[in-house]
Amino acid sequence: MATGDLVPTHFPARRAAQVALHHLNTRHGSPFRVFGLQQVHKATAEDVGTGGRKYSLDFSVTDYGSSGSVLRCSADVLFPRTEKHSPPEVQLHCEGLQQISSSPEEEAFYQKHISPDSAVSAHDIPDSYGNISQDMKPFWHLARVAASFIMLRESSENTEYNMAQVANVSQQETSEKQLMLKYHVLLHDFVSQEIIHWKLLSSWSPDGGVRVLETEWQPKCPHATKPPSAN
Amino acid sequence: MRLYLAVFALLVAVHCEELFNGDQVLRVLPESEDHIQALKELEEDVDSGLDFWTHGFSTERPVDIRVPQDSLYAFKDFLMENNIPFTVMINNVQELLEKERAEMVNNEGMERKTKSFNFAAYHNLETIYAFMDTLVASHPNLISKVNIGSSYENRPMYALKFSTGGVSRPAIWVDAGIHAREWVTQASAVWFANKIASDYGVDPSVTSLLGQMDIYLMIVTNPDGYAFTHTNNRMWRKTRSVNVGSSCRGADPNRNWDAGFGGPGASKDPCSDSYHGPYANSEVEVKNVVDLIKGHGNFKSFISIHSYSQLLMYPYGYTCTDVPDKSELHAVGTAAIKELTSLYNTRYQVGSICKIIYPASGGSIDWTYNIGIKYSFAFELRDTGFYGFLLPANQIIPTAEETWLGLKYIMGYVRDHPY
C-alpha cells in the first residue's frame, strides 16, 4: 500500500474520494442536490496508530442535482482496520457549502408531495435505456442520497460503490411532516463488479434533510447468507 | 473494374434498354506486326461496327473490342483466318448491364437503410445483426462479415472486416460488448462501423490506413449476455455458460483470458460477477477470439471497449508491474485522450489497468500484449457513474463521436509505427 503522496488519478485516491463524497451527500444531499466526483487534485495516505489508514484529499465535486456547480473540497478519510468491518470516518469541508440552503424548488416539491393525496410509486429509474421522466428525477436524487448512507457504511479500501438503478420507490403514509419513501436500490461495486440489492426506508424534509431509518440487504444468490462487507 | 466502368459509361451514354443484346466483348491478342496492322485498319473502318475499348496496339497488350451481334461471326472468322488469338470476355453485354443495374439499385436501397438507421437508440441483437448485413451489402468491396464461431447458446459471433485487399495484411482489432450490460459500447461500435464505411475514400487518415491495414470490428462480443440484458436482467455482465455444480451461470469473459489467470481481481465463485471460469479460455466466446487472433497471426493492435468510468488503459491488469512499452503506450494514450476531449470536453484518465482501476487478472489486453500485440488498449466509455450502465440514448452519438477521435488517433499511430 502506497504511503505519502498518491497519484490522484489512481484508484486508492479515487476510492477514498468517493467515500468522502458519500459522506457529503448524506449531509447535504436533497431532491435537487447530489454531488459527484469531478477530479482528485492531491492525495496522501498514512497508516495511523490504531491500525487504520488515513487519506487526506483535495478534490472537486459537481452538483448534478440542478445547479451543475463545482465545489472544491478537502477531506480526511479514515479506514479502520478492525476484524469486523466498521464504517470509515470522514471529516470534510467544501467551499461554498454553507451558503447552500433550501431552494424554492425543494419547497415546491415538498409541498406537492407532503399532501395526503400524494402516493408516488414507480420502478426502474432510470429504465434500461437511461430514460428518467422529469417528475422522477428528484426521487432519483433522493434515492442516491439515501443510498449514500449505505454506501458510506459499507465502504472499505477494497470497494468503490455507486448507485446503478432504483428498482422501485413507493411513498409511505405518515403522520410526520416528512416525505417517507421506501426504496429498493441496486448498488454497483466497481471492484467486485457486483450488483448489490438493498431495501431502505428514508425520510426527507427541506429542514430535516435526508435520514435513513431502516436498511435491509437483499441476497442475490440463494446460497448467500451475508452482505459483501461482512466477508 | 475498368471493364465495369466502361459498361456503365455505355449505359449512361445510350439511356436505352436492349441495345446490346447478344453483343460480345472479345479480348484480342496481337502477336505480330501483321496482326497490329490488320487491327489498325479495322479500327479506322467506321462501317465495321466494331467498338474498340483499347486504343494503341502492341504485341505487349491485349485489345478489347465490343462486337455487335450482327458482326460476331464475320469478325471471329476474320480473327481465326489470320491466326489472331482471342478470348470471349463478356458473353452478352446486355445481360451484364442488366445485372449491374439491379445490383446498383439494390446497393442504393441498402445505403438508404443504413442512412435511416437510428444510431441514437439502443437496439436488440437481431436489429444489430440486420444492420451489419445492410452495411456489408452496401459496401461489398470494403466490408465482409466474418463468422468467428458460435456463442455458448449457439448464436453466431460476427466480426466486420474492413479491407481493401491484400493477403493477411497487418490488422487492428476493436471489440465492444464483451460485458453485456455496457450498452453504450455496442451502440458506439455500430456507429463506428458506419463511420469507417463512410469515411473511407473521404477521410485521408482512414483511407490511408485501410490502404495498408485491415480493421476487424466486433460489435457484440458477448451475444448471449446481450440478449439476456434485453429479456431478463439489464445488469447481466457475464456469459451464459452453465457452471457445473452451481445454479449460477456464466463467467466473466474479461477474467477468462490466459494472462495471470486465476490471479487477483477475479473470483473463483461461479455466482460472482467476476468469476474467472473453470480454466483459461473455458468460455467459447473468448476461445473464438483467441483462435482468430492466433490464426491470423498479423494483428498489430487490439482495442477492447467497455463502460463506464471514462478511462483509457493499457496493460497490465494482473500485475502492477509496468510493461516494457509503458512510456510509449502512456504517451499514445495521452495523445488519444487529448483528441477525444477536444470534442465535448469529456475528461478521461490514462494509465495501466492495475493502477487506474484495480488489479484484474485474466484480461484480454494482457493476453494480447503478452503474445506480442504491442498496441493493446482498453477504453471505459461514459459516464463516471451518474447514469453508469444506464446511459441515456441521447448520449450514444456524442460518446461514439468523441471516442472515435481517440480510436482514430491510436489507429493512425499504429499505421505509422509498423513493427
Side-chain angles (χ1 to χ4, degrees), chain B residues 292-309:
Chain B
L292 180 118
I293 302 281
K294 286 204 324 211
H296 183 282
N298 205 18
F299 277 94
K300 298 299 177 189
S301 177
F302 185 97
I303 304 169
S304 191
I305 316 243
H306 295 255
S307 77
Y308 56 92
S309 280

Side-chain angles (χ1 to χ4, degrees), chain B residues 124-399:
Chain B
N124 65 15
L125 189 67
E126 201 190 314
T127 309
I128 292 180
Y129 277 16
F131 167 80
M132 284 191 223
D133 286 337
T134 59
L135 194 70
V136 168
S138 60
H139 299 87
N141 296 323
L142 180 65
I143 317 176
S144 56
K145 196 171 78 171
V146 182
N147 185 330
I148 78 165
S150 298
S151 69
Y152 183 84
E153 290 175 337
N154 252 314
R155 292 182 174 83
M157 291 178 63
Y158 295 126
L160 292 179
K161 178 184 173 187
F162 295 79
S163 178
T164 59
V167 177
S168 216
R169 279 184 176 168
I172 297 174
W173 169 275
V174 180
D175 69 69
I178 197 171
H179 289 137
R181 60 192 179 203
E182 297 167 8
W183 279 18
V184 73
T185 69
Q186 298 95 334
S188 294
V190 167
W191 188 93
F192 297 149
N194 187 60
K195 180 67 171 163
I196 299 171
S198 39
D199 257 15
Y200 177 69
V202 174
D203 176 280
S205 184
V206 172
T207 308
S208 80
L209 177 82
L210 286 169
Q212 308 166 38
M213 305 182 76
D214 294 342
I215 299 174
Y216 284 72
L217 176 62
M218 183 129 211
I219 296 177
V220 188
T221 312
N222 179 3
D224 295 349
Y226 191 61
F228 199 71
T229 58
H230 283 269
T231 56
N232 287 71
N233 181 353
R234 175 62 177 83
M235 294 292 170
W236 190 259
R237 167 181 167 91
K238 303 187 285 182
T239 61
R240 290 293 300 160
S241 55
V242 168
N243 290 310
V244 177
S246 173
S247 57
C248 296
R249 286 174 74 142
D252 183 338
N254 208 29
R255 302 285 184 276
N256 190 245
W257 299 69
D258 195 4
F261 178 83
S267 170
K268 56 185 194 289
D269 177 0
C271 293
S272 166
D273 258 327
S274 55
Y275 172 51
H276 48 54
Y279 51 87
N281 300 330
S282 63
E283 303 312 288
V284 67
E285 293 81 359
V286 170
K287 180 91 176 37
N288 287 339
V289 177
V290 166
D291 287 346
L292 180 118
I293 302 281
K294 286 204 324 211
H296 183 282
N298 205 18
F299 277 94
K300 298 299 177 189
S301 177
F302 185 97
I303 304 169
S304 191
I305 316 243
H306 295 255
S307 77
Y308 56 92
S309 280
Q310 293 174 201
L311 305 169
L312 174 50
M313 298 171 292
Y314 47 83
Y316 288 123
Y318 70 89
T319 167
C320 283
T321 309
D322 285 340
V323 289
D325 300 294
K326 183 242 159 105
S327 300
E328 188 187 3
L329 295 182
H330 194 93
V332 174
T334 304
I337 262 21
K338 194 155 164 253
E339 295 302 308
L340 185 156
T341 304
S342 72
L343 196 56
Y344 296 115
N345 226 15
T346 306
R347 202 183 291 241
Y348 265 63
Q349 315 286 2
V350 183
S352 75
I353 297 173
C354 190
K355 293 183 177 167
I356 282 270
I357 355 183
Y358 40 33
S361 57
S364 61
I365 74 168
D366 287 359
W367 178 77
T368 57
Y369 182 83
N370 280 346
I371 61 161
I373 302 177
K374 178 162 60 153
Y375 300 114
S376 292
F377 290 95
F379 277 84
E380 292 274 3
L381 304 188
R382 292 194 194 180
D383 60 11
T384 52
F386 208 55
Y387 286 97
F389 300 121
L390 307 178
L391 196 71
N394 64 14
Q395 288 199 44
I396 295 173
I397 294 183
T399 302

